[in-house]
């Protein structure tokens, strides 16, 4: 054969292979086939569970897909559990598919989660929209009446090697997405929306997990865009549009004495708009063995942000249960590089560290934050570190 033809053949075979790989998702289970109705009213929970159990137990090569066609599917609290026989389970929603919660918030009940994936390895979730429709729940919370504790909308617990992509999460009762006890989770292109006044509606919460990346996402909520809890390690957060909301927070940590620490977190190339805080580390003013170390905040833009740079180790709501007001959480090696924009509070850089466990190894470099059009200030208590480049306001180390 002429070399040219061989090249073309190899090219065609490789095309064929890659396209067949792409379509060979093994088995596919459309929830409509098991009785799900996209009319927004019919309870489709059982149909989803049936399709899940078939996808999860599939032995098809290349894994299995649960497919949600266009339409609005009413779903009650549901647990999609593993371990699965299938090496890869794809939860694929049509772009015009949505999952909606019952409008009566009591029906999300006291389960703590609405849509829970648990112990699934190799999970891929492609959105679609999930809408918890929590308006009346927030009203109950605001009125001071007794309400349920609230449910997280999408939760991944003990899920390794997961991908969540293109999912829209709206109007959650409490946090929109929770990643807990997972390893290697990539969250990409998610879109999260709840009104700025909605209570405790964090965007994404990460806890006791390693290797989580969150990229290219837009988050507007009534609480933290992203909150990072105990035992979070090796996180990468990039290209987030955050706000309104409370910003990106490590903490609150140290509510209990024996919490695991937080280490190796990077937040970069992100924009904060009208958030209550920018990047914050927050700990209870209580005894604790916990720590926060090796954190990098860099290339961030702050647009009218309350506390753009903040460490707060005196958290103690109602001044209850914080004898001596000292936090045991040890904070070290936190760097702030290339952070610019406007603060709506006069103190743009606030390091309020623990009297018994001063912060050390804080580094600020190339900071330019103003208080509206005037100079902002910085404040340090028990904070040690260094400054380089042009830092405005001047650091107080
Ligand atoms: C820190 O986390 C990143 C991922 O965000 C990872 O690539 C890197 O290896 C981690 N560093 C260490 C020392 O574990
Ligand atoms: C933090 O980073 C330093 C320097 O890169 C490294 O030596 C240290 O082991 C890291 N500590 C933790 C707890 O990751």
């Amino acid at each position: 054969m002429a070399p040219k033809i061989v090249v073309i053949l190899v090219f065609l075979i490789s095309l064929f292979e890659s396209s067949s790989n792409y379509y060979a998702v093994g088995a596919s289970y459309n929830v409509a086939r098991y009785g799900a109705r996209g009319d927004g009213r019919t309870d489709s929970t059982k149909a989803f569970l049936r399709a899940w159990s078939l996808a999860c137990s599939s032995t098809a090569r290349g894994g299995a897909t649960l497919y949600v066609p266009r339409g609005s599917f009413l779903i009650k609290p549901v647990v999609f559990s593993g371990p699965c026989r299938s090496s890869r389970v794809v939860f694929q929603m049509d772009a015009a598919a949505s999952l909606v919660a019952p409008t009566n918030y009591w029906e999300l009940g006291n389960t703590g989660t609405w849509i829970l994936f648990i112990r699934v390895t190799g999970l891929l979730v492609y959105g679609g929209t999930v809408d918890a429709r929590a308006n009346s729940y927030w009203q109950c919370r605001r009125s001071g009446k007794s309400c349920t504790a609230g449910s997280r909308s999408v939760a991944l617990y003990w899920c390794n090697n997961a991908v969540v992509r293109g999912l829209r999460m709206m109007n959650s009762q409490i946090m929109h997405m929770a990643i807990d006890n997972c390893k290697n989770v990539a969250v990409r292109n998610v879109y999260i929306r709840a009104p700025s006044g909605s209570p405790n509606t964090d965007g994404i919460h990460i806890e006791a997990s390693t290797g989580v990346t969150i990229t290219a996402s837009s988050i507007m909520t009534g609480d933290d865009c992203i909150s990072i809890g105990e035992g979070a390690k090796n996180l990468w957060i990039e290209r987030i549009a955050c706000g309104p909301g409370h910003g990106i927070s490590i903490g609150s940590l140290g509510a209990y004495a024996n919490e695991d620490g937080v280490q190796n977190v990077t937040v970069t190339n992100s924009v904060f708009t009208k958030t209550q805080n920018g990047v914050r580390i927050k700990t209870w003013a209580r005894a604790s063995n916990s720590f926060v170390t090796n954190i990098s905040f860099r290339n961030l833009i702050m647009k009218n942000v309350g506390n753009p740079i903040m460490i707060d180790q005196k958290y103690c709501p109602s001044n209850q249960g914080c004898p001596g007001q000292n936090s045991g959480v040890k904070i070290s090696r936190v760097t702030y590089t290339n952070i610019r924009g406007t603060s709506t509070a006069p103190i743009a850089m606030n390091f309020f560290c623990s009297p018994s466990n001063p912060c050390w190894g804080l580094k600020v470099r190339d900071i330019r934050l103003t208080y509206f059009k005037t100079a902002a200030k910085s404040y340090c208590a028990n904070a040690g570190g260094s400054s380089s480049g042009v830092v405005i306001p001047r650091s107080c180390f």
Side-chain angles (χ1 to χ4, degrees):
M1 248 186 286
K4 234 182 192 166
I5 295 175
V6 172
V7 168
I8 289 170
L9 266 180
V10 168
F11 175 66
L12 281 177
I13 289 166
S14 70
L15 253 190
F16 180 75
E17 269 196 352
S18 62
S19 65
S20 65
N21 279 346
Y22 182 76
Y23 289 105
V25 271
S28 179
Y29 302 93
N30 184 331
V31 293
R33 210 184 310 151
Y34 305 97
R37 296 271 299 276
D39 59 6
R41 284 182 288 124
T42 310
D43 179 2
S44 294
T45 317
K46 283 213 175 84
F48 273 70
L49 281 171
R50 180 81 191 118
W52 174 264
S53 108
L54 291 167
C56 178
S57 57
S58 166
T59 53
R61 259 188 84 201
T65 299
L66 175 153
Y67 179 70
V68 186
R70 63 182 302 149
S72 170
F73 296 87
L74 180 71
I75 300 292
K76 294 195 173 169
V78 64
V79 181
F80 298 116
S81 56
C84 291
R85 197 173 304 158
S86 182
S87 61
R88 189 164 62 152
V89 187
V90 188
F91 190 100
Q92 166 117 49
M93 298 173 70
D94 186 276
S98 56
L99 310 185
V100 296
T103 45
N104 176 356
Y105 59 83
W106 289 99
E107 292 199 53
L108 287 196
N110 293 307
T111 54
T113 57
W114 174 30
I115 299 163
L116 170 62
F117 296 94
I118 188 165
R119 295 198 166 83
V120 185
T121 298
L123 171 71
L124 286 80
V125 180
Y126 298 144
T129 301
V130 302
D131 187 347
R133 305 197 286 188
N135 235 303
S136 55
Y137 177 72
W138 306 324
Q139 264 167 31
C140 176
R141 288 280 297 269
R142 285 197 209 98
S143 73
K145 280 190 290 205
S146 85
C147 321
T148 58
S151 284
R152 303 167 167 195
S153 283
V154 177
L156 274 63
Y157 295 169
W158 287 277
C159 287
N160 295 345
N161 308 328
V163 175
V164 177
R165 207 164 75 194
L167 187 61
R168 298 162 63 91
M169 290 169 271
M170 336 268 291
N171 305 316
S172 190
Q173 288 192 341
I174 48 173
M175 51 191 68
H176 287 75
M177 179 171 202
I179 297 168
D180 204 329
N181 281 286
C182 296
K183 285 198 185 98
N184 301 326
V185 180
V187 178
R188 209 180 151 78
N189 288 117
V190 301
Y191 174 101
I192 301 179
R193 291 290 182 275
S196 61
S198 53
N200 299 117
T201 51
D202 292 36
I204 303 173
H205 178 76
I206 303 139
E207 187 167 320
S209 293
T210 302
V212 177
T213 67
I214 302 173
T215 50
S217 294
S218 162
I219 307 175
M220 301 182 175
T221 69
D223 207 306
D224 294 335
C225 292
I226 298 175
S227 62
I228 298 163
E230 60 159 321
K233 198 169 148 181
N234 304 351
L235 305 193
W236 190 271
I237 296 170
E238 179 163 12
R239 284 191 292 138
I240 305 298
C242 167
H246 292 183
I248 295 183
S249 286
I250 296 176
S252 311
L253 294 178
Y256 308 99
N258 283 313
E259 285 184 358
D260 202 358
V262 172
Q263 56 184 288
N264 188 17
V265 177
T266 300
V267 178
T268 184
N269 298 340
S270 295
V271 180
F272 297 73
T273 308
K274 292 186 182 161
T275 46
Q276 188 191 75
N277 311 288
V279 286
R280 176 174 58 162
I281 301 173
K282 181 176 166 192
T283 78
W284 283 78
R286 283 185 187 170
S288 170
N289 295 323
S290 192
F291 63 88
V292 175
T293 192
N294 292 357
I295 311 294
S296 170
F297 298 115
R298 58 177 188 259
N299 308 333
L300 307 177
I301 294 172
M302 305 286 169
K303 297 181 176 169
N304 297 317
V305 166
N307 303 292
I309 293 176
M310 184 172 205
I311 294 179
D312 173 8
Q313 293 209 261
K314 60 179 188 318
Y315 182 59
C316 190
S318 324
N319 268 324
Q320 303 241 308
C322 311
Q325 299 283 313
N326 289 342
S327 174
V329 178
K330 291 151 208 66
I331 297 178
S332 62
R333 293 193 167 113
V334 185
T335 67
Y336 301 85
T337 312
N338 188 25
I339 301 180
R340 284 153 207 276
T342 49
S343 170
T344 56
I347 298 175
M349 210 169 12
N350 193 344
F351 300 114
F352 199 107
C353 296
S354 165
S356 55
N357 294 281
C359 300
W360 59 270
L362 307 181
K363 284 188 185 156
V364 294
R365 182 176 172 193
D366 298 331
I367 308 286
R368 186 181 293 267
L369 291 165
T370 56
Y371 172 47
F372 294 105
K373 292 232 149 51
T374 64
K377 293 194 186 78
S378 60
Y379 178 82
C380 291
N382 315 304
S386 61
S387 163
S388 59
V390 176
V391 172
I392 303 168
R394 195 174 333 146
S395 90
C396 44
F397 300 132

